[in-house]
Amino acid sequence: MTTDAHATAPDLATTSPFLRACRGLEPSHTPVWFMRQAGRSLPEYLAIREGVPMLESCFRTDMVVEITMQPVRRHGVDAAIFFSDIVVPLKAIGVDLDIVPGTGPVVADPIRSEGQLASLRDLEPDDVTSITDAVRGLVQELGSTPLIGFAGAPFTLASYLVEGGPSRDHRRTKELMYGQPDLWHALLGRIAAIAGQFLRLQVEAGASAIQLFDSWAGALSPADYDTYVRPHSAAVLESVADLDVPRIHFGVGTGELLTRMGDVGADVVGVDWRVPLDDAIRRLGPDKAVQGNLDPTLLFAPTDLVHRRAAEVIEAGRAAKGHVFNLGHGVLPATDPDALTRLVEFIHTYERTA
Ligand code: 1CP
């Protein structure tokens, strides 16, 4: 067995249905993975996390490997997503934050002034050795299943840093954005450097694709996205362009931003369930692959309806350069894991009618 994480990469790129679809090559079947596939829908996840705080688990190599593997073993998905969180690189450089159960990321000292930018130093490889060790271990254990590395995009991370926690309207974030544009651009520039480095370290350790999550970008108008966010998201994706792995870019409620999210340098654009996939494909044009987009709450519907809707998504996806099946956002914690396994089986065995 080789210890060089990249030794198997060329092979994976040609054999993996997920990587083929990302690159617009015909896959042997429609590939599928689920955002938040590792997590609270799985009893084995709840068992291993018992008594271990979320952030601690993200820095424990053995737990990251085990939790990332759990949905791959159980559902037979076509890709693994690295178990971590978008705030992990910020924690790794010493930002005082926690992930509070039932709430999400909470930042002790929200960033609202220029003097506080100094706390956002560059991410160094030594800050995340337990994480890159986990990537290396996973690549060995996953074999023919590719690993997706990820990071939070500048706007979404800035929202947590400025608000101090989850926010419905992103009021303080936009207050800083509109009122102190120089500070805003300096802040997003710092975050872009950290996110880009986090992605780079994951790919160098063996991840075969990356996803940049701009979950809350849907809160922005297209004009504000262009002025305040686009250059920074583009900088993150550009900073990993030389690594030659597919770059997926996803946000929630981003129907009006889809073409822009493609234009910032994505190979694959994630689509939430509010936009019909055929519309999204028309908006994105022939050069982008798409990922999505079944409503996560459909997994609570009768199986025949789930399958009918999944078939519609697969059929609509055929018009794209490539299609990776996913939900339109993360798996809800109350989801029956067997419903996910059945959905994977359905997608893998769905008869091609085209
Ligand atoms: O104790 C727990 O189980 C805490 C729940 C949890 C989990 C399982 C959080 C807190 N984060 C995670 C893991 C996680 N987070 C993953 C890896 C697992 C997988 O996908 O299989 C990923 C990709 C994320 C990314 C993430 N964290 C995003 C972007 C994706 C998205 O869902 O939009 C965001 C916005 C976060 C912030 C976050 N972390 C946790 C929560 C509850 C939240 C959202 C809070 C809010 O609404 O603002």
Side-chain angles (χ1 to χ4, degrees), residues 34-40 45 49 54 81-86 99 103-105 150 156 160 166 213 215-216 250 329:
F34 303 116
M35 290 184 278
R36 298 277 178 108
Q37 64 191 14
R40 286 171 293 176
Y45 170 81
R49 279 284 321 284
M54 175 68 190
I81 176 118
F82 189 63
F83 177 75
S84 190
D85 193 83
I86 57 170
I99 294 181
T103 301
F150 74 89
T156 293
Y160 289 107
F213 282 96
S215 300
W216 312 142
F250 168 78
H329 197 186

PDB file of all heavy atoms in Angstrom, residues 34-40 45 49 54 81-86 99 103-105 150 156 160 166 213 215-216 250 329, ligand 1:
ATOM      1  N   PHE A  34     -24.837  13.290   0.069  1.00  0.00           N
ATOM      2  CA  PHE A  34     -25.758  14.206   0.742  1.00  0.00           C
ATOM      3  C   PHE A  34     -24.991  15.195   1.605  1.00  0.00           C
ATOM      4  O   PHE A  34     -24.134  14.786   2.403  1.00  0.00           O
ATOM      5  CB  PHE A  34     -26.731  13.436   1.650  1.00  0.00           C
ATOM      6  CG  PHE A  34     -27.533  12.388   0.939  1.00  0.00           C
ATOM      7  CD1 PHE A  34     -27.381  11.045   1.258  1.00  0.00           C
ATOM      8  CD2 PHE A  34     -28.443  12.726  -0.057  1.00  0.00           C
ATOM      9  CE1 PHE A  34     -28.113  10.063   0.607  1.00  0.00           C
ATOM     10  CE2 PHE A  34     -29.186  11.762  -0.714  1.00  0.00           C
ATOM     11  CZ  PHE A  34     -29.023  10.434  -0.381  1.00  0.00           C
ATOM     12  N   MET A  35     -25.323  16.490   1.449  1.00  0.00           N
ATOM     13  CA  MET A  35     -24.768  17.463   2.391  1.00  0.00           C
ATOM     14  C   MET A  35     -25.239  17.091   3.796  1.00  0.00           C
ATOM     15  O   MET A  35     -26.395  16.696   3.962  1.00  0.00           O
ATOM     16  CB  MET A  35     -25.227  18.877   2.004  1.00  0.00           C
ATOM     17  CG  MET A  35     -24.569  19.350   0.713  1.00  0.00           C
ATOM     18  SD  MET A  35     -24.982  21.042   0.269  1.00  0.00           S
ATOM     19  CE  MET A  35     -26.561  20.811  -0.519  1.00  0.00           C
ATOM     20  N   ARG A  36     -24.344  17.169   4.763  1.00  0.00           N
ATOM     21  CA  ARG A  36     -24.605  16.741   6.152  1.00  0.00           C
ATOM     22  C   ARG A  36     -24.975  15.258   6.253  1.00  0.00           C
ATOM     23  O   ARG A  36     -25.788  14.876   7.097  1.00  0.00           O
ATOM     24  CB  ARG A  36     -25.713  17.583   6.789  1.00  0.00           C
ATOM     25  CG  ARG A  36     -25.376  19.066   6.891  1.00  0.00           C
ATOM     26  CD  ARG A  36     -24.523  19.335   8.125  1.00  0.00           C
ATOM     27  NE  ARG A  36     -24.152  20.742   8.200  1.00  0.00           N
ATOM     28  CZ  ARG A  36     -24.660  21.590   9.080  1.00  0.00           C
ATOM     29  NH1 ARG A  36     -25.536  21.185   9.957  1.00  0.00           N
ATOM     30  NH2 ARG A  36     -24.255  22.832   9.100  1.00  0.00           N
ATOM     31  N   GLN A  37     -24.352  14.446   5.370  1.00  0.00           N
ATOM     32  CA  GLN A  37     -24.625  13.009   5.447  1.00  0.00           C
ATOM     33  C   GLN A  37     -24.036  12.399   6.712  1.00  0.00           C
ATOM     34  O   GLN A  37     -24.545  11.405   7.230  1.00  0.00           O
ATOM     35  CB  GLN A  37     -24.103  12.280   4.205  1.00  0.00           C
ATOM     36  CG  GLN A  37     -22.582  12.330   4.009  1.00  0.00           C
ATOM     37  CD  GLN A  37     -22.164  11.821   2.629  1.00  0.00           C
ATOM     38  OE1 GLN A  37     -22.982  11.676   1.730  1.00  0.00           O
ATOM     39  NE2 GLN A  37     -20.891  11.520   2.453  1.00  0.00           N
ATOM     40  N   ALA A  38     -22.931  12.996   7.205  1.00  0.00           N
ATOM     41  CA  ALA A  38     -22.374  12.586   8.494  1.00  0.00           C
ATOM     42  C   ALA A  38     -23.037  13.474   9.536  1.00  0.00           C
ATOM     43  O   ALA A  38     -22.997  14.681   9.413  1.00  0.00           O
ATOM     44  CB  ALA A  38     -20.866  12.800   8.501  1.00  0.00           C
ATOM     45  N   GLY A  39     -23.630  12.895  10.533  1.00  0.00           N
ATOM     46  CA  GLY A  39     -24.251  13.760  11.532  1.00  0.00           C
ATOM     47  C   GLY A  39     -25.445  13.124  12.203  1.00  0.00           C
ATOM     48  O   GLY A  39     -25.603  11.891  12.197  1.00  0.00           O
ATOM     49  N   ARG A  40     -26.281  13.987  12.711  1.00  0.00           N
ATOM     50  CA  ARG A  40     -27.259  13.544  13.702  1.00  0.00           C
ATOM     51  C   ARG A  40     -28.351  12.623  13.193  1.00  0.00           C
ATOM     52  O   ARG A  40     -29.094  12.066  13.992  1.00  0.00           O
ATOM     53  CB  ARG A  40     -27.871  14.773  14.385  1.00  0.00           C
ATOM     54  CG  ARG A  40     -26.897  15.414  15.364  1.00  0.00           C
ATOM     55  CD  ARG A  40     -27.397  16.734  15.879  1.00  0.00           C
ATOM     56  NE  ARG A  40     -27.428  17.703  14.794  1.00  0.00           N
ATOM     57  CZ  ARG A  40     -27.904  18.947  14.908  1.00  0.00           C
ATOM     58  NH1 ARG A  40     -28.404  19.341  16.056  1.00  0.00           N
ATOM     59  NH2 ARG A  40     -27.882  19.770  13.887  1.00  0.00           N
ATOM     60  N   TYR A  45     -23.475   7.972  14.750  1.00  0.00           N
ATOM     61  CA  TYR A  45     -22.858   9.290  14.974  1.00  0.00           C
ATOM     62  C   TYR A  45     -23.175   9.763  16.390  1.00  0.00           C
ATOM     63  O   TYR A  45     -22.285  10.188  17.128  1.00  0.00           O
ATOM     64  CB  TYR A  45     -23.378  10.304  13.939  1.00  0.00           C
ATOM     65  CG  TYR A  45     -22.974  11.735  14.242  1.00  0.00           C
ATOM     66  CD1 TYR A  45     -21.708  12.201  13.899  1.00  0.00           C
ATOM     67  CD2 TYR A  45     -23.841  12.618  14.896  1.00  0.00           C
ATOM     68  CE1 TYR A  45     -21.329  13.513  14.190  1.00  0.00           C
ATOM     69  CE2 TYR A  45     -23.464  13.921  15.188  1.00  0.00           C
ATOM     70  CZ  TYR A  45     -22.211  14.365  14.835  1.00  0.00           C
ATOM     71  OH  TYR A  45     -21.835  15.654  15.124  1.00  0.00           O
ATOM     72  N   ARG A  49     -20.312  10.511  19.352  1.00  0.00           N
ATOM     73  CA  ARG A  49     -20.203  11.898  19.821  1.00  0.00           C
ATOM     74  C   ARG A  49     -20.594  12.069  21.289  1.00  0.00           C
ATOM     75  O   ARG A  49     -20.368  13.135  21.863  1.00  0.00           O
ATOM     76  CB  ARG A  49     -21.085  12.809  18.949  1.00  0.00           C
ATOM     77  CG  ARG A  49     -20.487  13.238  17.612  1.00  0.00           C
ATOM     78  CD  ARG A  49     -19.421  14.320  17.770  1.00  0.00           C
ATOM     79  NE  ARG A  49     -19.799  15.300  18.799  1.00  0.00           N
ATOM     80  CZ  ARG A  49     -20.701  16.267  18.629  1.00  0.00           C
ATOM     81  NH1 ARG A  49     -21.254  16.435  17.466  1.00  0.00           N
ATOM     82  NH2 ARG A  49     -21.016  17.071  19.621  1.00  0.00           N
ATOM     83  N   MET A  54     -18.595  19.175  19.955  1.00  0.00           N
ATOM     84  CA  MET A  54     -18.484  19.188  18.492  1.00  0.00           C
ATOM     85  C   MET A  54     -17.082  19.594  18.025  1.00  0.00           C
ATOM     86  O   MET A  54     -16.445  18.900  17.227  1.00  0.00           O
ATOM     87  CB  MET A  54     -19.546  20.156  17.933  1.00  0.00           C
ATOM     88  CG  MET A  54     -19.468  20.371  16.445  1.00  0.00           C
ATOM     89  SD  MET A  54     -19.907  18.909  15.493  1.00  0.00           S
ATOM     90  CE  MET A  54     -19.412  19.426  13.869  1.00  0.00           C
ATOM     91  N   ILE A  81     -17.881  13.312   2.465  1.00  0.00           N
ATOM     92  CA  ILE A  81     -17.545  14.698   2.796  1.00  0.00           C
ATOM     93  C   ILE A  81     -16.857  14.679   4.142  1.00  0.00           C
ATOM     94  O   ILE A  81     -17.328  14.055   5.086  1.00  0.00           O
ATOM     95  CB  ILE A  81     -18.768  15.648   2.797  1.00  0.00           C
ATOM     96  CG1 ILE A  81     -18.379  17.062   3.233  1.00  0.00           C
ATOM     97  CG2 ILE A  81     -19.890  15.133   3.660  1.00  0.00           C
ATOM     98  CD1 ILE A  81     -18.586  18.121   2.218  1.00  0.00           C
ATOM     99  N   PHE A  82     -15.722  15.351   4.146  1.00  0.00           N
ATOM    100  CA  PHE A  82     -14.879  15.398   5.324  1.00  0.00           C
ATOM    101  C   PHE A  82     -15.668  15.908   6.527  1.00  0.00           C
ATOM    102  O   PHE A  82     -16.334  16.941   6.445  1.00  0.00           O
ATOM    103  CB  PHE A  82     -13.729  16.345   5.005  1.00  0.00           C
ATOM    104  CG  PHE A  82     -12.657  16.330   6.027  1.00  0.00           C
ATOM    105  CD1 PHE A  82     -11.952  15.184   6.262  1.00  0.00           C
ATOM    106  CD2 PHE A  82     -12.361  17.462   6.749  1.00  0.00           C
ATOM    107  CE1 PHE A  82     -10.956  15.160   7.219  1.00  0.00           C
ATOM    108  CE2 PHE A  82     -11.374  17.451   7.702  1.00  0.00           C
ATOM    109  CZ  PHE A  82     -10.670  16.294   7.932  1.00  0.00           C
ATOM    110  N   PHE A  83     -15.640  15.202   7.659  1.00  0.00           N
ATOM    111  CA  PHE A  83     -16.353  15.659   8.847  1.00  0.00           C
ATOM    112  C   PHE A  83     -15.556  16.769   9.524  1.00  0.00           C
ATOM    113  O   PHE A  83     -14.438  16.564  10.001  1.00  0.00           O
ATOM    114  CB  PHE A  83     -16.595  14.519   9.834  1.00  0.00           C
ATOM    115  CG  PHE A  83     -17.272  15.013  11.082  1.00  0.00           C
ATOM    116  CD1 PHE A  83     -18.622  15.327  11.068  1.00  0.00           C
ATOM    117  CD2 PHE A  83     -16.556  15.207  12.244  1.00  0.00           C
ATOM    118  CE1 PHE A  83     -19.245  15.828  12.204  1.00  0.00           C
ATOM    119  CE2 PHE A  83     -17.173  15.711  13.387  1.00  0.00           C
ATOM    120  CZ  PHE A  83     -18.518  16.024  13.362  1.00  0.00           C
ATOM    121  N   SER A  84     -16.143  17.957   9.528  1.00  0.00           N
ATOM    122  CA  SER A  84     -15.520  19.131  10.133  1.00  0.00           C
ATOM    123  C   SER A  84     -16.603  20.183  10.241  1.00  0.00           C
ATOM    124  O   SER A  84     -17.791  19.858  10.248  1.00  0.00           O
ATOM    125  CB  SER A  84     -14.357  19.609   9.259  1.00  0.00           C
ATOM    126  OG  SER A  84     -13.594  20.586   9.925  1.00  0.00           O
ATOM    127  N   ASP A  85     -16.236  21.439  10.302  1.00  0.00           N
ATOM    128  CA  ASP A  85     -17.222  22.522  10.260  1.00  0.00           C
ATOM    129  C   ASP A  85     -16.556  23.730   9.632  1.00  0.00           C
ATOM    130  O   ASP A  85     -15.332  23.866   9.668  1.00  0.00           O
ATOM    131  CB  ASP A  85     -17.747  22.860  11.654  1.00  0.00           C
ATOM    132  CG  ASP A  85     -18.986  23.753  11.558  1.00  0.00           C
ATOM    133  OD1 ASP A  85     -20.084  23.223  11.372  1.00  0.00           O
ATOM    134  OD2 ASP A  85     -18.840  24.989  11.635  1.00  0.00           O
ATOM    135  N   ILE A  86     -17.380  24.644   9.110  1.00  0.00           N
ATOM    136  CA  ILE A  86     -16.791  25.811   8.439  1.00  0.00           C
ATOM    137  C   ILE A  86     -15.998  26.701   9.401  1.00  0.00           C
ATOM    138  O   ILE A  86     -15.130  27.436   8.964  1.00  0.00           O
ATOM    139  CB  ILE A  86     -17.855  26.649   7.681  1.00  0.00           C
ATOM    140  CG1 ILE A  86     -18.969  27.105   8.607  1.00  0.00           C
ATOM    141  CG2 ILE A  86     -18.413  25.866   6.505  1.00  0.00           C
ATOM    142  CD1 ILE A  86     -19.917  28.131   7.964  1.00  0.00           C
ATOM    143  N   ILE A  99     -18.999  25.743  19.117  1.00  0.00           N
ATOM    144  CA  ILE A  99     -20.227  25.332  18.439  1.00  0.00           C
ATOM    145  C   ILE A  99     -21.182  24.869  19.534  1.00  0.00           C
ATOM    146  O   ILE A  99     -20.935  23.863  20.205  1.00  0.00           O
ATOM    147  CB  ILE A  99     -19.959  24.236  17.397  1.00  0.00           C
ATOM    148  CG1 ILE A  99     -19.088  24.806  16.257  1.00  0.00           C
ATOM    149  CG2 ILE A  99     -21.278  23.712  16.827  1.00  0.00           C
ATOM    150  CD1 ILE A  99     -18.762  23.828  15.147  1.00  0.00           C
ATOM    151  N   THR A 103     -27.655  25.568  18.713  1.00  0.00           N
ATOM    152  CA  THR A 103     -27.502  26.940  18.208  1.00  0.00           C
ATOM    153  C   THR A 103     -26.630  26.992  16.973  1.00  0.00           C
ATOM    154  O   THR A 103     -27.031  27.486  15.917  1.00  0.00           O
ATOM    155  CB  THR A 103     -26.892  27.854  19.299  1.00  0.00           C
ATOM    156  OG1 THR A 103     -27.745  27.837  20.436  1.00  0.00           O
ATOM    157  CG2 THR A 103     -26.753  29.291  18.811  1.00  0.00           C
ATOM    158  N   GLY A 104     -25.394  26.503  17.106  1.00  0.00           N
ATOM    159  CA  GLY A 104     -24.435  26.601  16.014  1.00  0.00           C
ATOM    160  C   GLY A 104     -23.222  27.379  16.487  1.00  0.00           C
ATOM    161  O   GLY A 104     -23.005  27.543  17.695  1.00  0.00           O
ATOM    162  N   PRO A 105     -22.423  27.905  15.556  1.00  0.00           N
ATOM    163  CA  PRO A 105     -21.186  28.600  15.938  1.00  0.00           C
ATOM    164  C   PRO A 105     -21.475  29.897  16.709  1.00  0.00           C
ATOM    165  O   PRO A 105     -22.333  30.674  16.312  1.00  0.00           O
ATOM    166  CB  PRO A 105     -20.547  28.923  14.578  1.00  0.00           C
ATOM    167  CG  PRO A 105     -21.160  27.980  13.604  1.00  0.00           C
ATOM    168  CD  PRO A 105     -22.552  27.745  14.096  1.00  0.00           C
ATOM    169  N   PHE A 150     -13.794  20.767   2.239  1.00  0.00           N
ATOM    170  CA  PHE A 150     -14.666  21.941   2.125  1.00  0.00           C
ATOM    171  C   PHE A 150     -14.178  23.092   2.986  1.00  0.00           C
ATOM    172  O   PHE A 150     -13.332  22.936   3.866  1.00  0.00           O
ATOM    173  CB  PHE A 150     -16.124  21.600   2.463  1.00  0.00           C
ATOM    174  CG  PHE A 150     -16.392  21.387   3.936  1.00  0.00           C
ATOM    175  CD1 PHE A 150     -16.751  22.459   4.755  1.00  0.00           C
ATOM    176  CD2 PHE A 150     -16.287  20.136   4.500  1.00  0.00           C
ATOM    177  CE1 PHE A 150     -17.014  22.280   6.108  1.00  0.00           C
ATOM    178  CE2 PHE A 150     -16.538  19.931   5.855  1.00  0.00           C
ATOM    179  CZ  PHE A 150     -16.903  21.011   6.656  1.00  0.00           C
ATOM    180  N   THR A 156     -20.314  33.939   4.244  1.00  0.00           N
ATOM    181  CA  THR A 156     -20.951  33.125   5.285  1.00  0.00           C
ATOM    182  C   THR A 156     -20.099  33.106   6.556  1.00  0.00           C
ATOM    183  O   THR A 156     -20.624  33.232   7.672  1.00  0.00           O
ATOM    184  CB  THR A 156     -21.229  31.707   4.739  1.00  0.00           C
ATOM    185  OG1 THR A 156     -22.237  31.824   3.718  1.00  0.00           O
ATOM    186  CG2 THR A 156     -21.704  30.761   5.818  1.00  0.00           C
ATOM    187  N   TYR A 160     -20.870  34.870  10.657  1.00  0.00           N
ATOM    188  CA  TYR A 160     -20.679  34.358  12.030  1.00  0.00           C
ATOM    189  C   TYR A 160     -19.721  35.241  12.818  1.00  0.00           C
ATOM    190  O   TYR A 160     -19.922  35.512  14.008  1.00  0.00           O
ATOM    191  CB  TYR A 160     -20.178  32.909  12.008  1.00  0.00           C
ATOM    192  CG  TYR A 160     -21.249  31.942  11.552  1.00  0.00           C
ATOM    193  CD1 TYR A 160     -21.200  31.354  10.304  1.00  0.00           C
ATOM    194  CD2 TYR A 160     -22.335  31.655  12.370  1.00  0.00           C
ATOM    195  CE1 TYR A 160     -22.198  30.493   9.870  1.00  0.00           C
ATOM    196  CE2 TYR A 160     -23.340  30.788  11.946  1.00  0.00           C
ATOM    197  CZ  TYR A 160     -23.260  30.215  10.697  1.00  0.00           C
ATOM    198  OH  TYR A 160     -24.254  29.367  10.277  1.00  0.00           O
ATOM    199  N   PRO A 166     -25.363  32.629  14.811  1.00  0.00           N
ATOM    200  CA  PRO A 166     -26.326  32.540  13.712  1.00  0.00           C
ATOM    201  C   PRO A 166     -27.248  33.748  13.683  1.00  0.00           C
ATOM    202  O   PRO A 166     -27.575  34.309  14.731  1.00  0.00           O
ATOM    203  CB  PRO A 166     -27.117  31.265  14.032  1.00  0.00           C
ATOM    204  CG  PRO A 166     -26.228  30.474  14.919  1.00  0.00           C
ATOM    205  CD  PRO A 166     -25.450  31.470  15.721  1.00  0.00           C
ATOM    206  N   PHE A 213     -18.833  26.428   0.681  1.00  0.00           N
ATOM    207  CA  PHE A 213     -20.199  26.663   1.153  1.00  0.00           C
ATOM    208  C   PHE A 213     -20.421  28.152   1.373  1.00  0.00           C
ATOM    209  O   PHE A 213     -19.850  28.730   2.300  1.00  0.00           O
ATOM    210  CB  PHE A 213     -20.432  25.980   2.500  1.00  0.00           C
ATOM    211  CG  PHE A 213     -20.659  24.489   2.426  1.00  0.00           C
ATOM    212  CD1 PHE A 213     -19.618  23.604   2.630  1.00  0.00           C
ATOM    213  CD2 PHE A 213     -21.932  23.976   2.194  1.00  0.00           C
ATOM    214  CE1 PHE A 213     -19.831  22.228   2.603  1.00  0.00           C
ATOM    215  CE2 PHE A 213     -22.151  22.600   2.160  1.00  0.00           C
ATOM    216  CZ  PHE A 213     -21.109  21.727   2.363  1.00  0.00           C
ATOM    217  N   SER A 215     -23.413  29.387   2.339  1.00  0.00           N
ATOM    218  CA  SER A 215     -24.784  29.045   2.719  1.00  0.00           C
ATOM    219  C   SER A 215     -25.691  30.261   2.791  1.00  0.00           C
ATOM    220  O   SER A 215     -26.854  30.191   2.432  1.00  0.00           O
ATOM    221  CB  SER A 215     -24.778  28.321   4.055  1.00  0.00           C
ATOM    222  OG  SER A 215     -24.009  27.161   3.933  1.00  0.00           O
ATOM    223  N   TRP A 216     -25.177  31.386   3.273  1.00  0.00           N
ATOM    224  CA  TRP A 216     -26.068  32.532   3.529  1.00  0.00           C
ATOM    225  C   TRP A 216     -25.981  33.626   2.455  1.00  0.00           C
ATOM    226  O   TRP A 216     -26.540  34.707   2.625  1.00  0.00           O
ATOM    227  CB  TRP A 216     -25.807  33.115   4.923  1.00  0.00           C
ATOM    228  CG  TRP A 216     -25.763  32.077   6.008  1.00  0.00           C
ATOM    229  CD1 TRP A 216     -24.908  32.073   7.080  1.00  0.00           C
ATOM    230  CD2 TRP A 216     -26.583  30.896   6.160  1.00  0.00           C
ATOM    231  NE1 TRP A 216     -25.141  30.958   7.866  1.00  0.00           N
ATOM    232  CE2 TRP A 216     -26.153  30.219   7.316  1.00  0.00           C
ATOM    233  CE3 TRP A 216     -27.618  30.325   5.417  1.00  0.00           C
ATOM    234  CZ2 TRP A 216     -26.729  29.020   7.748  1.00  0.00           C
ATOM    235  CZ3 TRP A 216     -28.181  29.118   5.845  1.00  0.00           C
ATOM    236  CH2 TRP A 216     -27.741  28.499   6.994  1.00  0.00           C
ATOM    237  N   PHE A 250     -21.769  26.264  -3.462  1.00  0.00           N
ATOM    238  CA  PHE A 250     -23.172  26.075  -3.073  1.00  0.00           C
ATOM    239  C   PHE A 250     -23.644  27.167  -2.118  1.00  0.00           C
ATOM    240  O   PHE A 250     -22.895  27.606  -1.243  1.00  0.00           O
ATOM    241  CB  PHE A 250     -23.329  24.708  -2.379  1.00  0.00           C
ATOM    242  CG  PHE A 250     -24.664  24.545  -1.695  1.00  0.00           C
ATOM    243  CD1 PHE A 250     -25.810  24.243  -2.432  1.00  0.00           C
ATOM    244  CD2 PHE A 250     -24.782  24.717  -0.320  1.00  0.00           C
ATOM    245  CE1 PHE A 250     -27.039  24.130  -1.797  1.00  0.00           C
ATOM    246  CE2 PHE A 250     -26.022  24.596   0.310  1.00  0.00           C
ATOM    247  CZ  PHE A 250     -27.150  24.297  -0.433  1.00  0.00           C
ATOM    248  N   HIS A 329     -30.283  21.102   0.402  1.00  0.00           N
ATOM    249  CA  HIS A 329     -29.490  21.579   1.546  1.00  0.00           C
ATOM    250  C   HIS A 329     -29.222  20.345   2.389  1.00  0.00           C
ATOM    251  O   HIS A 329     -29.423  19.233   1.911  1.00  0.00           O
ATOM    252  CB  HIS A 329     -30.237  22.685   2.313  1.00  0.00           C
ATOM    253  CG  HIS A 329     -29.346  23.495   3.226  1.00  0.00           C
ATOM    254  ND1 HIS A 329     -29.822  24.443   4.088  1.00  0.00           N
ATOM    255  CD2 HIS A 329     -28.000  23.487   3.410  1.00  0.00           C
ATOM    256  CE1 HIS A 329     -28.815  25.004   4.761  1.00  0.00           C
ATOM    257  NE2 HIS A 329     -27.693  24.420   4.354  1.00  0.00           N
TER     258      HIS A 329
HETATM  259  O1  1CP B   1     -23.278  18.337  17.653  1.00  0.00           O
HETATM  260  C1  1CP B   1     -23.541  18.329  16.448  1.00  0.00           C
HETATM  261  O2  1CP B   1     -23.752  17.275  15.834  1.00  0.00           O
HETATM  262  C2  1CP B   1     -23.587  19.690  15.837  1.00  0.00           C
HETATM  263  C3  1CP B   1     -24.216  19.782  14.497  1.00  0.00           C
HETATM  264  C4  1CP B   1     -23.181  20.078  13.447  1.00  0.00           C
HETATM  265  C5  1CP B   1     -22.594  19.160  12.552  1.00  0.00           C
HETATM  266  C6  1CP B   1     -22.822  17.667  12.464  1.00  0.00           C
HETATM  267  C7  1CP B   1     -22.635  21.354  13.183  1.00  0.00           C
HETATM  268  C8  1CP B   1     -22.923  22.606  13.920  1.00  0.00           C
HETATM  269  N1  1CP B   1     -21.721  21.209  12.142  1.00  0.00           N
HETATM  270  C9  1CP B   1     -21.675  19.900  11.734  1.00  0.00           C
HETATM  271  C10 1CP B   1     -20.804  19.319  10.676  1.00  0.00           C
HETATM  272  C11 1CP B   1     -20.697  20.015   9.390  1.00  0.00           C
HETATM  273  N2  1CP B   1     -20.879  21.363   9.209  1.00  0.00           N
HETATM  274  C12 1CP B   1     -20.322  19.449   8.156  1.00  0.00           C
HETATM  275  C13 1CP B   1     -19.784  18.031   7.930  1.00  0.00           C
HETATM  276  C14 1CP B   1     -20.722  16.909   7.898  1.00  0.00           C
HETATM  277  C15 1CP B   1     -21.430  16.526   6.638  1.00  0.00           C
HETATM  278  O3  1CP B   1     -21.772  17.376   5.790  1.00  0.00           O
HETATM  279  O4  1CP B   1     -21.666  15.342   6.465  1.00  0.00           O
HETATM  280  C16 1CP B   1     -20.351  20.460   7.198  1.00  0.00           C
HETATM  281  C17 1CP B   1     -20.093  20.333   5.716  1.00  0.00           C
HETATM  282  C18 1CP B   1     -20.695  21.648   7.873  1.00  0.00           C
HETATM  283  C19 1CP B   1     -20.726  22.955   7.224  1.00  0.00           C
HETATM  284  C20 1CP B   1     -21.446  24.071   7.860  1.00  0.00           C
HETATM  285  N3  1CP B   1     -21.453  24.452   9.173  1.00  0.00           N
HETATM  286  C21 1CP B   1     -22.175  25.041   7.129  1.00  0.00           C
HETATM  287  C22 1CP B   1     -22.300  25.039   5.627  1.00  0.00           C
HETATM  288  C23 1CP B   1     -23.262  23.990   5.167  1.00  0.00           C
HETATM  289  C24 1CP B   1     -24.704  24.238   5.442  1.00  0.00           C
HETATM  290  O5  1CP B   1     -25.328  23.367   6.052  1.00  0.00           O
HETATM  291  O6  1CP B   1     -25.220  25.291   5.016  1.00  0.00           O
HETATM  292  C25 1CP B   1     -22.682  25.978   8.015  1.00  0.00           C
HETATM  293  C26 1CP B   1     -23.535  27.189   7.703  1.00  0.00           C
HETATM  294  C27 1CP B   1     -22.229  25.598   9.323  1.00  0.00           C
HETATM  295  C28 1CP B   1     -22.472  26.317  10.586  1.00  0.00           C
HETATM  296  C29 1CP B   1     -23.113  25.404  11.558  1.00  0.00           C
HETATM  297  N4  1CP B   1     -22.440  24.448  12.266  1.00  0.00           N
HETATM  298  C30 1CP B   1     -23.299  23.760  13.061  1.00  0.00           C
HETATM  299  C31 1CP B   1     -24.601  24.293  12.859  1.00  0.00           C
HETATM  300  C32 1CP B   1     -25.850  23.844  13.574  1.00  0.00           C
HETATM  301  C33 1CP B   1     -24.471  25.329  11.910  1.00  0.00           C
HETATM  302  C34 1CP B   1     -25.588  26.198  11.324  1.00  0.00           C
HETATM  303  C35 1CP B   1     -26.063  27.212  12.315  1.00  0.00           C
HETATM  304  C36 1CP B   1     -26.889  28.318  11.680  1.00  0.00           C
HETATM  305  O7  1CP B   1     -28.058  28.067  11.356  1.00  0.00           O
HETATM  306  O8  1CP B   1     -26.330  29.415  11.489  1.00  0.00           O
END
